[in-house]
Amino acid sequence: MGVTYKYFGAPDGATAARVPISMRPEELGGDELGHGMFTKIKPETMAAMVLTGIEGIPLNRVPPLELVVLHPDYAVVKLPMTVVDPLRGIGEESVGAAAFIWSTVPDRAGPQDAFNVYQLLHRWQDFSDRLHEAGHQAYCLVWP
């Protein structure tokens, strides 16, 4: 069993820190990614792929995540807005190019299918739009 990542929106770190860990992941409220979807995609991977694949930033210049809460059972991290904002307003060509770049980068499971990555980036686009409209920032709940 691996680590699970739950992306959500909150207006500030204090609110994000109060995410109820006693609830099951699919019951968490807020601006979740993909209608309550939780994922196995690390927030640092998401940050790197958006910033390198869309913004063209070298991997060594990707900003670190901000730790909001470190608890023995879970952690909450904040993703920089530089990871969320580039997804708003980009066109199909940019999404497709980023998906192709990501699909060629091997991970522990091997290279990913470009179409699956393309669909994921579209879900991230929707997520970033909802965050912007709500005035929220992106956070990720991490637990084993």
Side-chain angles (χ1 to χ4, degrees), residues 4-129:
T4 301
Y5 305 96
K6 173 67 177 187
Y7 294 90
F8 66 97
D12 53 48
T15 303
R18 292 191 301 267
V19 169
I21 192 58
S22 61
M23 297 179 75
R24 294 178 49 80
E26 60 271 14
E27 295 171 347
L28 290 174
D31 295 305
E32 304 88 55
L33 172 61
H35 308 292
M37 181 181 110
F38 49 103
T39 181
K40 297 290 184 186
I41 299 173
K42 296 179 189 180
E44 55 270 22
T45 300
M46 197 64 219
M49 295 320 306
V50 167
L51 293 175
T52 58
I54 294 172
E55 293 290 288
I57 294 174
L59 197 55
N60 65 344
R61 308 257 312 158
V62 173
L65 304 176
E66 179 184 325
L67 182 64
V68 176
V69 174
L70 181 59
H71 184 275
D73 297 325
Y74 66 94
V76 175
V77 295
K78 176 183 173 187
L79 280 78
M81 289 310 289
T82 55
V83 172
V84 180
D85 284 344
L87 291 167
R88 293 187 315 106
I90 64 168
E92 289 295 312
E93 188 173 303
S94 295
V95 173
F100 175 76
I101 290 168
W102 190 346
S103 73
T104 64
V105 176
D107 60 20
R108 282 181 270 167
Q112 300 295 314
D113 178 79
F115 184 70
N116 290 339
V117 176
Y118 174 82
Q119 289 177 314
L120 172 70
L121 287 174
H122 269 293
R123 288 194 302 270
W124 269 90
Q125 271 190 309
D126 293 342
F127 178 59
S128 64
D129 287 339

